[in-house]
Amino acid sequence: METGTIPVDELGGGLDLYRTLESGQSYLWRRSDGEMYGGSPAPEAWYHTVVDGEVIRVRRRGGPEGDPTAGVAADATTGRLEWESTTDAEPIVRELLRLDDDLEAIVDAAPDDPLLREAYEAHRGMRLVDDPAFGCLISFICSTQMRVGRIHTMVSTLAREYGDAISFDGETYHAFPTPAQLAAATEAELRDLGLGYRAPYVVRTAEMVADGEAHPEEARDLAYEPAREYLTRFVGVGDKVADCVLLFSLGFDEAVPLDTWLKSAVEEYYPDCERGSYAATSRAIRERLGGEYAGYAQTYIFHHLRTGE
DNA sequence: ATAAGGCCTAAGAG
DNA sequence: ACTCTTAGGCCTT
């Protein structure tokens, strides 16, 4: 086993691991106690994921390294992030959790907007994630008309049923299935696993990727709006799901997924941004939330409104 | 280009 | 205990 520690005070803007991983951005991590999205943080719980066949575990701890009494971090800017893995995982941990983003600078540069300030203040240390593209794509196809807890259950089920099993430290972990593994599933199987009407979408999209017909990574080289348009060729992917994949996986920090929560935010706080269509309203709210990092703002506002915190 | 109806299903709300 | 509504929308017409 390889292990490492990343001091949180060296990260611009700190880190709130709980809010980063349980705010409905990524469904590719699981908490060791299996109780994610229950509304209660488990301050020192391990979270784990599998990337390129390597198991990665992370947890947040307080106090300086080597202090056995150090427990819960006092706030998002102290303590450390510990990781354990089958490989030297520090680079991938930094990438997946976007630890090199200067969150403080992003917050400081945000527009002076009451709701946004309140959201940034309330959830200090929450970072965007950078998920592997295929897993992110399938996750958000599963997300339509679904609560975050159940989305997570669906994605976990797909990993358990179709992904590679990997042993690490006496435990068995499951990678998210490859496109080919998921394309081998049938609609009936996925319906039995509780995916409902999303079942054929998942199979057909997996087939498209497995057959080389298209790949979400192809969108990375395009401009923002053409990239969103590109992703909607996948079955089960409309503008909203496409924006989620662009924001949480493909590096488009300006993407603002217009979900039910953001629509209500537009209605209540930014009524002048309502333009009658997804594309036009999206453009207006993106400008209002600061353009370049509007997606960061979206994620904070979404989390703020959804949790009521 | 935009609008209406149907869709799986389990957890909450009443 | 039961019904009704809702949940990070998308596809087809």
Side-chain angles (χ1 to χ4, degrees):
Chain A
M1 182 192 302
E2 300 203 36
T3 67
T5 297
I6 300 171
V8 168
D9 62 6
E10 291 178 7
L11 309 176
L15 171 66
D16 184 329
L17 189 62
Y18 166 69
R19 287 197 171 91
T20 299
L21 294 181
E22 301 196 39
S23 54
Q25 302 178 54
S26 174
Y27 297 95
L28 301 177
W29 291 82
R30 278 183 281 170
R31 207 166 83 186
S32 51
D33 63 6
E35 298 295 323
M36 284 176 86
Y37 299 107
S40 57
E44 294 184 71
W46 287 99
Y47 291 88
H48 58 87
T49 190
V50 178
V51 175
D52 294 332
E54 310 284 357
V55 178
I56 298 167
R57 295 198 294 226
V58 295
R59 74 167 166 177
R60 210 42 192 84
R61 303 213 69 193
E65 185 176 5
D67 178 355
T69 66
V72 180
D75 57 55
T77 61
T78 63
R80 61 193 188 275
L81 179 69
E82 296 178 350
W83 59 263
E84 300 177 346
S85 179
T86 44
T87 185
D88 173 15
E90 179 160 335
I92 186 70
V93 167
R94 284 185 177 276
E95 183 181 329
L96 293 172
L97 302 178
R98 298 187 55 161
L99 300 182
D100 296 319
D101 283 7
D102 188 342
L103 192 48
E104 197 170 359
I106 292 169
V107 172
D108 286 347
D112 191 14
D113 172 89
L115 177 64
L116 184 53
R117 288 287 170 202
E118 189 178 299
Y120 271 133
E121 183 62 34
H123 310 292
R124 196 165 290 280
M126 181 171 73
R127 287 171 182 273
L128 286 184
V129 299
D130 188 358
D131 272 349
F134 181 66
C136 181
L137 178 65
I138 298 297
S139 295
F140 282 93
I141 288 173
C142 290
S143 79
T144 65
Q145 291 293 100
M146 195 52 61
R147 290 173 178 80
V148 291
R150 283 197 61 206
I151 301 166
H152 190 258
T153 300
M154 288 183 189
V155 174
S156 300
T157 300
L158 291 177
R160 188 188 69 230
E161 296 296 320
Y162 300 101
D164 288 333
I166 299 170
S167 295
F168 173 60
D169 193 29
E171 302 280 334
T172 299
Y173 297 88
H174 290 273
F176 190 80
T178 63
Q181 286 171 328
L182 209 45
T186 66
E187 176 183 336
E189 286 172 1
L190 297 189
R191 282 181 181 272
D192 286 344
L193 292 174
L195 268 68
Y197 62 79
R198 305 158 194 80
Y201 302 165
V202 167
V203 175
R204 290 171 64 190
T205 288
E207 287 170 348
M208 290 173 72
V209 180
D211 295 347
E213 180 180 341
H215 195 290
E217 286 286 354
E218 295 284 322
R220 200 184 283 276
D221 301 324
L222 305 175
Y224 166 59
E225 290 192 351
R228 189 175 68 199
E229 180 65 23
Y230 176 88
L231 291 180
T232 61
R233 74 184 53 200
F234 292 107
V235 184
V237 179
D239 288 330
K240 186 270 175 183
V241 168
D243 267 331
C244 288
V245 177
L246 292 176
L247 181 61
F248 301 134
S249 175
L250 297 176
F252 288 84
D253 295 340
E254 69 268 53
V256 177
L258 277 184
D259 53 62
T260 55
W261 293 100
L262 259 290
K263 284 177 183 168
S264 73
V266 169
E267 194 175 330
E268 191 166 346
Y269 297 92
Y270 314 104
D272 56 305
C273 290
E274 177 55 56
R275 296 286 197 278
S277 76
Y278 187 100
T281 303
S282 170
R283 226 170 273 146
I285 193 69
R286 185 163 70 250
E287 288 311 308
R288 178 63 58 89
L289 295 179
E292 187 184 5
Y293 288 106
Y296 247 107
Q298 181 275 351
T299 298
Y300 273 79
I301 290 173
F302 168 79
H303 188 66
H304 191 52
L305 296 178
R306 190 180 70 81
T307 61
E309 291 173 15

